[in-house]
Amino acid sequence: MAIVLDREWGGRFYDTYTLECATEANIEATTRLRDQQKAWKREDRKRVMAQGKHPFWHSAIERPIPEHLMVKQLKLTKGDDLPDYIHHSPAGHLVSDRLKALIEEEEPAGQGFQFFAVEIKTKSGEPYGTPYWHWDVFRRIDAIDPSSEALESVSGPVDGNHRWSFKSAPKPWTKEHLILSKPKIEGMAAWVDFRFDRGYPFLSDSLHEKTIAAQITGFSAQSVWSER
Protein backbone atom coordinates (compact mmCIF):
# COMPACT_ATOMS: atom_id res chain seq x y z
CA MET A 1 0.00 0.00 0.00
CA ALA A 2 1.33 3.41 -0.94
CA ILE A 3 0.42 6.16 1.51
CA VAL A 4 0.20 9.91 1.76
CA LEU A 5 2.64 10.67 4.55
CA ASP A 6 1.25 12.55 7.53
CA ARG A 7 2.30 13.42 11.07
CA GLU A 8 1.73 10.96 13.89
CA TRP A 9 -1.68 11.49 15.46
CA GLY A 10 -2.18 10.30 19.02
CA GLY A 11 0.90 8.10 19.19
CA ARG A 12 3.96 8.02 21.41
CA PHE A 13 5.39 11.33 20.15
CA TYR A 14 2.16 13.23 19.60
CA ASP A 15 2.44 16.73 21.10
CA THR A 16 5.55 15.77 23.10
CA TYR A 17 8.15 18.02 21.46
CA THR A 18 8.61 21.43 19.86
CA LEU A 19 11.39 22.55 17.51
CA GLU A 20 12.14 26.22 16.90
CA CYS A 21 14.76 28.18 14.99
CA ALA A 22 17.97 28.28 17.02
CA THR A 23 19.14 31.75 15.94
CA GLU A 24 17.90 34.97 14.39
CA ALA A 25 19.74 33.96 11.21
CA ASN A 26 17.62 30.82 11.02
CA ILE A 27 14.43 32.84 11.51
CA GLU A 28 15.53 35.13 8.68
CA ALA A 29 16.19 32.06 6.52
CA THR A 30 12.57 30.90 6.89
CA THR A 31 11.39 34.34 5.73
CA ARG A 32 13.76 34.32 2.74
CA LEU A 33 12.60 30.86 1.70
CA ARG A 34 8.92 31.79 2.01
CA ASP A 35 9.48 34.95 -0.06
CA GLN A 36 11.46 33.02 -2.66
CA GLN A 37 8.75 30.37 -2.99
CA LYS A 38 6.16 33.10 -3.59
CA ALA A 39 8.42 34.62 -6.27
CA TRP A 40 8.93 31.23 -7.92
CA LYS A 41 5.17 30.70 -8.03
CA ARG A 42 4.66 34.04 -9.78
CA GLU A 43 7.46 33.29 -12.25
CA ASP A 44 6.18 29.79 -13.00
CA ARG A 45 2.61 30.98 -13.59
CA LYS A 46 3.85 33.62 -16.03
CA ARG A 47 6.01 31.05 -17.81
CA VAL A 48 3.24 28.52 -18.40
CA MET A 49 0.77 31.22 -19.44
CA ALA A 50 3.33 32.57 -21.94
CA GLN A 51 3.42 29.03 -23.38
CA GLY A 52 -0.35 29.14 -23.83
CA LYS A 53 -1.03 26.74 -20.97
CA HIS A 54 -3.54 27.00 -18.15
CA PRO A 55 -2.02 28.68 -15.03
CA PHE A 56 -2.66 25.38 -13.24
CA TRP A 57 0.43 23.92 -14.88
CA HIS A 58 2.81 25.88 -12.67
CA SER A 59 2.12 23.14 -10.10
CA ALA A 60 3.94 20.61 -12.28
CA ILE A 61 7.25 22.49 -12.26
CA GLU A 62 9.89 20.96 -10.01
CA ARG A 63 11.75 23.40 -7.76
CA PRO A 64 14.53 21.84 -5.64
CA ILE A 65 15.34 24.18 -2.76
CA PRO A 66 18.89 25.61 -2.95
CA GLU A 67 20.96 24.75 0.11
CA HIS A 68 21.71 28.39 0.94
CA LEU A 69 17.99 28.99 1.62
CA MET A 70 17.69 26.16 4.13
CA VAL A 71 17.42 26.48 7.91
CA LYS A 72 20.61 24.99 9.28
CA GLN A 73 19.98 24.81 13.03
CA LEU A 74 17.01 24.13 15.30
CA LYS A 75 16.55 23.92 19.05
CA LEU A 76 14.39 21.55 21.04
CA THR A 77 12.31 23.82 23.29
CA LYS A 78 9.85 21.18 24.50
CA GLY A 79 10.50 17.50 25.19
CA ASP A 80 13.67 15.46 25.19
CA ASP A 81 13.17 12.85 22.46
CA LEU A 82 12.35 13.10 18.77
CA PRO A 83 10.75 10.57 16.39
CA ASP A 84 12.33 9.38 13.15
CA TYR A 85 9.94 11.48 11.07
CA ILE A 86 8.99 15.08 11.85
CA HIS A 87 6.24 16.35 9.59
CA HIS A 88 6.33 20.01 10.57
CA SER A 89 9.32 22.09 11.68
CA PRO A 90 10.81 25.47 10.74
CA ALA A 91 13.08 23.44 8.43
CA GLY A 92 10.23 21.48 6.82
CA HIS A 93 10.03 17.68 6.84
CA LEU A 94 12.82 16.14 8.93
CA VAL A 95 14.08 12.55 8.93
CA SER A 96 16.50 10.74 11.22
CA ASP A 97 19.64 9.00 9.97
CA ARG A 98 17.74 5.73 10.30
CA LEU A 99 14.85 6.81 8.08
CA LYS A 100 17.18 8.52 5.60
CA ALA A 101 19.02 5.21 5.14
CA LEU A 102 15.75 3.39 4.37
CA ILE A 103 14.71 6.04 1.85
CA GLU A 104 18.05 5.90 0.04
CA GLU A 105 17.96 2.11 0.09
CA GLU A 106 14.74 2.41 -1.92
CA GLU A 107 15.96 5.21 -4.22
CA PRO A 108 19.13 7.34 -4.16
CA ALA A 109 18.70 11.05 -3.56
CA GLY A 110 19.03 13.37 -6.53
CA GLN A 111 16.29 12.79 -9.08
CA GLY A 112 13.22 13.35 -6.93
CA PHE A 113 14.35 14.52 -3.52
CA GLN A 114 17.34 15.81 -1.61
CA PHE A 115 18.62 15.95 1.96
CA PHE A 116 20.24 18.79 3.91
CA ALA A 117 21.82 18.36 7.33
CA VAL A 118 20.04 20.14 10.20
CA GLU A 119 21.82 20.59 13.52
CA ILE A 120 19.51 20.20 16.50
CA LYS A 121 20.36 21.59 19.94
CA THR A 122 18.81 20.47 23.22
CA LYS A 123 17.27 22.89 25.69
CA SER A 124 20.65 23.12 27.44
CA GLY A 125 22.39 24.01 24.18
CA GLU A 126 24.14 20.67 23.69
CA PRO A 127 23.99 18.76 20.36
CA TYR A 128 20.96 16.47 20.28
CA GLY A 129 23.17 13.56 19.25
CA THR A 130 21.20 11.83 16.52
CA PRO A 131 21.73 13.44 13.07
CA TYR A 132 18.63 14.83 11.36
CA TRP A 133 18.06 15.89 7.77
CA HIS A 134 15.67 18.17 5.96
CA TRP A 135 13.92 16.03 3.32
CA ASP A 136 12.95 18.11 0.29
CA VAL A 137 10.65 16.05 -1.95
CA PHE A 138 10.56 18.16 -5.12
CA ARG A 139 9.42 15.53 -7.63
CA ARG A 140 6.07 16.39 -9.23
CA ILE A 141 4.19 13.70 -11.15
CA ASP A 142 0.71 12.79 -12.36
CA ALA A 143 0.13 9.26 -11.10
CA ILE A 144 -3.46 9.14 -9.81
CA ASP A 145 -5.70 6.78 -11.75
CA PRO A 146 -8.86 8.65 -12.90
CA SER A 147 -10.92 5.57 -12.05
CA SER A 148 -10.37 6.22 -8.32
CA GLU A 149 -13.91 6.27 -6.93
CA ALA A 150 -12.97 8.36 -3.90
CA LEU A 151 -11.86 11.35 -5.96
CA GLU A 152 -13.49 14.08 -7.97
CA SER A 153 -12.16 17.05 -9.91
CA VAL A 154 -11.90 20.23 -7.89
CA SER A 155 -13.78 22.24 -10.50
CA GLY A 156 -14.90 21.59 -14.04
CA PRO A 157 -14.39 18.46 -16.12
CA VAL A 158 -11.48 16.03 -16.05
CA ASP A 159 -9.78 17.71 -19.00
CA GLY A 160 -6.07 17.76 -18.18
CA ASN A 161 -6.26 21.07 -16.34
CA HIS A 162 -8.02 19.55 -13.36
CA ARG A 163 -6.99 18.81 -9.78
CA TRP A 164 -8.19 15.95 -7.63
CA SER A 165 -9.97 16.22 -4.30
CA PHE A 166 -11.62 13.69 -1.99
CA LYS A 167 -15.33 13.15 -2.38
CA SER A 168 -17.34 13.48 0.78
CA ALA A 169 -18.35 10.12 2.18
CA PRO A 170 -20.11 8.75 5.28
CA LYS A 171 -17.04 6.61 6.06
CA PRO A 172 -13.31 6.81 5.19
CA TRP A 173 -12.34 5.78 1.70
CA THR A 174 -10.15 2.69 1.46
CA LYS A 175 -7.31 1.66 -0.86
CA GLU A 176 -9.84 -0.06 -3.12
CA HIS A 177 -11.18 3.41 -3.97
CA LEU A 178 -7.83 5.24 -4.17
CA ILE A 179 -5.69 4.02 -7.05
CA LEU A 180 -2.24 4.96 -8.36
CA SER A 181 -0.80 4.04 -11.74
CA LYS A 182 2.00 1.62 -10.83
CA PRO A 183 4.01 2.12 -14.09
CA LYS A 184 4.22 5.87 -13.39
CA ILE A 185 5.77 5.41 -9.94
CA GLU A 186 7.95 2.36 -10.56
CA GLY A 187 11.25 2.68 -8.69
CA MET A 188 10.25 5.88 -6.87
CA ALA A 189 10.53 6.17 -3.08
CA ALA A 190 8.53 9.38 -2.73
CA TRP A 191 6.81 12.06 -4.78
CA VAL A 192 4.16 14.78 -4.76
CA ASP A 193 1.23 14.41 -7.14
CA PHE A 194 0.76 17.86 -8.63
CA ARG A 195 -2.95 17.20 -9.23
CA PHE A 196 -3.40 16.32 -5.56
CA ASP A 197 -0.92 18.62 -3.84
CA ARG A 198 -1.98 18.65 -0.19
CA GLY A 199 1.53 19.50 1.03
CA TYR A 200 2.17 15.87 1.94
CA PRO A 201 4.43 13.51 -0.03
CA PHE A 202 3.41 10.07 -1.20
CA LEU A 203 5.46 7.11 0.05
CA SER A 204 5.76 4.04 -2.15
CA ASP A 205 4.35 0.66 -1.17
CA SER A 206 7.84 -0.81 -0.81
CA LEU A 207 9.23 2.02 1.32
CA HIS A 208 6.12 2.06 3.48
CA GLU A 209 6.59 -1.65 4.23
CA LYS A 210 10.23 -1.03 5.18
CA THR A 211 9.30 1.75 7.59
CA ILE A 212 6.76 -0.53 9.29
CA ALA A 213 9.26 -3.40 9.56
CA ALA A 214 11.91 -1.05 11.00
CA GLN A 215 9.39 0.46 13.47
CA ILE A 216 10.02 3.97 12.21
CA THR A 217 8.34 6.47 14.53
CA GLY A 218 6.53 9.76 14.08
CA PHE A 219 4.38 9.21 10.99
CA SER A 220 0.98 7.94 10.00
CA ALA A 221 -0.93 7.44 6.75
CA GLN A 222 -3.16 10.37 5.81
CA SER A 223 -4.65 8.04 3.18
CA VAL A 224 -3.82 4.59 1.81
CA TRP A 225 -3.61 3.83 -1.93
CA SER A 226 -3.44 0.74 -4.10
CA GLU A 227 -0.93 0.49 -6.97
CA ARG A 228 -2.24 -1.04 -10.21
Side-chain angles (χ1 to χ4, degrees), residues 16-22 73-83 86 119-128 132:
T16 63
Y17 64 89
T18 301
L19 287 167
E20 298 180 7
C21 290
Q73 191 179 77
L74 298 174
K75 60 182 177 181
L76 189 57
T77 58
K78 173 184 174 181
D80 299 307
D81 295 314
L82 294 171
I86 298 169
E119 182 184 14
I120 296 178
K121 299 285 190 179
T122 64
K123 291 188 286 292
S124 63
E126 298 297 317
Y128 178 70
Y132 273 80

Side-chain angles (χ1 to χ4, degrees), residues 82-201:
L82 294 171
D84 292 297
Y85 177 69
I86 298 169
H87 192 70
H88 284 299
S89 82
H93 302 311
L94 300 184
V95 298
S96 67
D97 247 12
R98 204 161 70 98
L99 178 51
K100 178 176 180 285
L102 286 181
I103 295 167
E104 293 192 291
E105 180 182 306
E106 187 73 12
E107 180 188 5
Q111 295 300 312
F113 52 84
Q114 56 188 346
F115 297 102
F116 297 112
V118 178
E119 182 184 14
I120 296 178
K121 299 285 190 179
T122 64
K123 291 188 286 292
S124 63
E126 298 297 317
Y128 178 70
T130 303
Y132 273 80
W133 305 80
H134 170 82
W135 187 28
D136 174 30
V137 182
F138 57 80
R139 174 184 281 136
R140 298 291 184 270
I141 63 171
D142 177 16
I144 292 178
D145 191 313
S147 68
S148 297
E149 296 177 25
L151 301 177
E152 61 186 357
S153 64
V154 172
S155 61
V158 178
D159 60 359
N161 294 323
H162 59 284
R163 291 185 183 273
W164 295 116
S165 180
F166 285 117
K167 292 179 180 177
S168 58
K171 59 183 179 180
W173 292 105
T174 67
K175 62 185 177 65
E176 286 75 27
H177 306 102
L178 293 165
I179 307 167
L180 299 172
S181 172
K182 190 169 185 176
K184 292 184 178 180
I185 57 176
E186 200 71 42
M188 296 181 183
W191 64 92
V192 171
D193 196 296
F194 72 84
R195 296 192 190 278
F196 190 71
D197 183 5
R198 305 175 70 84
Y200 304 163

Side-chain angles (χ1 to χ4, degrees), residues 11-89:
R12 172 187 163 195
F13 288 95
Y14 181 67
D15 199 29
T16 63
Y17 64 89
T18 301
L19 287 167
E20 298 180 7
C21 290
T23 65
E24 284 297 323
N26 294 145
I27 294 173
E28 292 168 3
T30 63
T31 301
R32 285 196 303 273
L33 177 56
R34 183 170 60 250
D35 291 345
Q36 181 61 73
Q37 288 173 325
K38 290 179 181 177
W40 282 334
K41 184 175 181 178
R42 290 193 297 269
E43 293 169 11
D44 292 341
R45 286 174 66 91
K46 288 179 181 178
R47 186 197 311 178
V48 298
M49 290 174 70
Q51 296 170 349
K53 296 181 179 178
H54 191 283
F56 156 84
W57 284 98
H58 83 274
S59 301
I61 296 175
E62 295 181 351
R63 284 283 192 178
I65 299 173
E67 185 172 7
H68 73 274
L69 290 176
M70 293 307 306
V71 173
K72 300 294 196 303
Q73 191 179 77
L74 298 174
K75 60 182 177 181
L76 189 57
T77 58
K78 173 184 174 181
D80 299 307
D81 295 314
L82 294 171
D84 292 297
Y85 177 69
I86 298 169
H87 192 70
H88 284 299
S89 82

